[in-house]
Amino acid sequence: MAELYIRVAEDENEEPMEIPSEDDGTVLLSTVAAQFPGACGLRYRNPVSQCMRGVRLVEGILHAPENDWGSLVYVVNYPKDNKRKMDEMDAASAVKMKRSIEKTSDLIILGLPWKTSEQDLKDYFATFGEVIMVQVKRDVKTGNSKGFGFVRFTEYETQSKVISQRHMIDGRWCDCKLPNSKAGPDEPMRSRKIFVGRCTEDITTDELRQFFMQYGEVTDVFIPKPFRAFAFVTFADDQVASALCGEDLIIKGVSVHISNAEPKHNNSRHFLSNFLERSPSLAAMFDQTPYQYPSSHV
C-alpha cells in the first residue's frame, strides 16, 4: 500500500509540509509534533462553510474528516502557553532584526599606552571580528600618541561585544565605547536604561532580568516600591536599549510597553530652567548664587 501524506502548515498562508499517515489512514500526533514541536492538534478550513474545523483527536491519534484527508492544508494547533511563548520569540526576533540593520559606528578607545601603534590595535581587535579602520590620535607637532584612538568593525554584533567589556592592550586596561561627540550639544547621551510600562504586580525582578537577557547583557533591574505598574531595566549596551524603545512585548501573558528612561537630572534641569524663565526675580536671585543652570538659559 502506497504511503499517504497530508499537507500541514503552521499558518494557512505558509508553505505546507507533507506529513506521513499510518497504514489505516490516521496520523499520529507525535508525527506532527516531530516537525512542529508543541503541536496539540490540527484544524482545517471547511470548503463549504469557510469556517475552521478541528480534526478529531483520540488518544494521540488524528482521524481524517469524513475518512478522507483530501488535498486540504491542515493548520497546527498549539496550547495557549506555547502560543504566548512563540509571540515572545517573534517579538525578540523583530527587535534583533531591527538591531541588525543598524550600521556600526566609530568606537573611541580610551587609556591607550603611549607605545601602542595602529598595527597593535588592528592585531588586537581583529580577534573579535573584521576591522574596517583603526586610528591612534597623535599630536600634530610631536607625532606622539595622545593616549586614545578609534576602531570600527564590519559587524554590529562584534561592536556590541567589544563595547560590553574592558580590554588589556599592551599591558594596560582600556575602555572602548561610542564617543560622546556623536551627540549634538543639546542632545543627551543615549541611555542604557529602558522604562517598562504596564507591568503587573506578580512580575518579579528575576523574571524581568531573564526575559530581557535574550536581547543583551542586563546590568540592573528595578521595580519601585510601593508598586507603581512600571519598572526600569538597564543594559550594558545603549544600542540594545535604543532598539527596544517603542516596542510592545509580551511578558507572562501581559503586554508591556517599552520607552526611553530619561535620566532624572535631565528632567529636573529642564523643569528648573522653564521655571526660572517664568520667574525673572528668582532667576536674578540664582545669578547671585554659585548655582549654574543650563547655559541655553543664561
Side-chain angles (χ1 to χ4, degrees), residues 7-14 41-56 65-66 68-77:
R7 301 196 297 166
V8 179
E10 282 195 339
D11 187 271
E12 283 188 282
N13 299 319
E14 292 185 359
L42 294 176
R43 65 185 187 276
Y44 66 98
R45 188 171 297 281
N46 183 277
V48 178
S49 67
Q50 290 300 304
C51 294
M52 297 300 291
R53 284 188 179 182
V55 174
R56 189 159 60 96
E66 300 178 2
D68 182 16
W69 293 104
S71 59
L72 299 173
V73 173
Y74 294 86
V75 181
V76 178
N77 290 334

Side-chain angles (χ1 to χ4, degrees), residues 15 19 21 29 36 69 82 84 98 109 118 171 207 209 258:
E15 183 177 355
I19 300 288
S21 67
L29 180 59
F36 302 92
W69 293 104
N82 279 28
R84 187 182 305 141
K98 180 179 177 181
I109 313 159
E118 292 180 348
E207 288 170 335
R209 183 182 296 274
I258 310 300

Side-chain angles (χ1 to χ4, degrees), residues 17 20 30 38 42 71 74 79 96 100 128 130 136 141 167 173 189 193 199 217-218 220 229 242 251 259 263 269 276:
M17 173 184 291
S30 58
L42 294 176
S71 59
Y74 294 86
K96 286 178 181 177
S100 68
F128 293 89
E130 185 178 354
V136 174
K141 293 181 179 179
H167 303 274
W173 285 110
M189 290 179 60
K193 183 184 294 184
C199 292
E217 182 185 351
V218 175
D220 185 60
S242 176
I251 304 178
S259 57
R269 288 177 63 185
L276 292 176

Side-chain angles (χ1 to χ4, degrees), residues 43-294:
R43 65 185 187 276
Y44 66 98
R45 188 171 297 281
N46 183 277
V48 178
S49 67
Q50 290 300 304
C51 294
M52 297 300 291
R53 284 188 179 182
V55 174
R56 189 159 60 96
L57 173 65
V58 179
E59 296 181 351
I61 299 174
L62 292 157
H63 296 264
E66 300 178 2
N67 298 318
D68 182 16
W69 293 104
S71 59
L72 299 173
V73 173
Y74 294 86
V75 181
V76 178
N77 290 334
Y78 291 101
K80 286 186 177 180
D81 285 345
N82 279 28
K83 181 64 166 63
R84 187 182 305 141
K85 289 177 182 177
M86 289 176 65
D87 289 341
E88 292 176 357
M89 290 173 61
D90 288 344
S93 298
V95 172
K96 286 178 181 177
M97 185 176 296
K98 180 179 177 181
R99 287 178 57 200
S100 68
I101 63 175
E102 292 191 47
K103 295 181 179 178
T104 57
S105 305
D106 290 350
L107 304 180
I108 188 169
I109 313 159
L110 301 173
L112 283 177
W114 307 120
K115 65 178 181 179
T116 302
S117 67
E118 292 180 348
Q119 188 60 49
D120 293 333
L121 283 183
K122 187 171 184 180
D123 291 343
Y124 173 79
F125 285 110
T127 61
F128 293 89
E130 185 178 354
V131 176
I132 298 177
M133 175 277 299
V134 291
Q135 180 185 29
V136 174
K137 297 301 289 184
R138 300 182 180 278
D139 185 274
V140 177
K141 293 181 179 179
T142 65
N144 295 332
S145 169
K146 291 185 175 182
F148 70 95
F150 294 91
V151 63
R152 187 167 188 164
F153 297 94
T154 303
E155 300 294 333
Y156 172 81
E157 293 300 327
T158 304
Q159 172 178 299
S160 299
K161 184 178 180 181
V162 168
I163 291 175
S164 68
Q165 63 188 76
R166 301 193 76 197
H167 303 274
M168 178 63 73
I169 301 175
D170 286 341
R172 186 172 179 179
W173 285 110
C174 303
D175 292 307
C176 197
K177 59 177 71 176
L178 287 165
N180 297 344
S181 58
K182 289 180 68 66
D186 297 323
E187 181 184 351
M189 290 179 60
R190 287 193 299 183
S191 175
R192 294 182 293 113
K193 183 184 294 184
I194 59 172
F195 177 89
V196 185
R198 303 198 297 252
C199 292
T200 54
E201 200 161 359
D202 64 329
I203 294 178
T204 66
T205 55
D206 286 340
E207 288 170 335
L208 285 177
R209 183 182 296 274
Q210 287 298 320
F211 178 83
F212 284 105
M213 279 174 58
Q214 65 186 302
Y215 302 107
E217 182 185 351
V218 175
T219 59
D220 185 60
V221 177
F222 175 70
I223 299 177
K225 292 181 180 180
F227 180 71
R228 298 170 62 188
F230 64 82
F232 294 100
V233 177
T234 306
F235 292 95
D237 184 354
D238 61 2
Q239 294 202 28
V240 175
S242 176
L244 282 168
C245 287
E247 296 287 339
D248 290 301
L249 306 176
I250 306 295
I251 304 178
K252 293 186 69 176
V254 176
S255 176
V256 299
H257 183 72
I258 310 300
S259 57
N260 181 55
E262 185 178 351
K264 279 187 176 180
H265 71 273
N266 285 351
N267 289 331
S268 58
R269 288 177 63 185
H270 181 69
F271 171 81
L272 180 60
S273 305
N274 289 342
F275 182 72
L276 292 176
E277 276 187 337
R278 298 172 188 172
S279 307
S281 58
L282 283 176
M285 181 179 71
F286 268 85
D287 281 339
Q288 299 172 10
T289 71
Y291 176 81
Q292 294 295 319
Y293 43 93

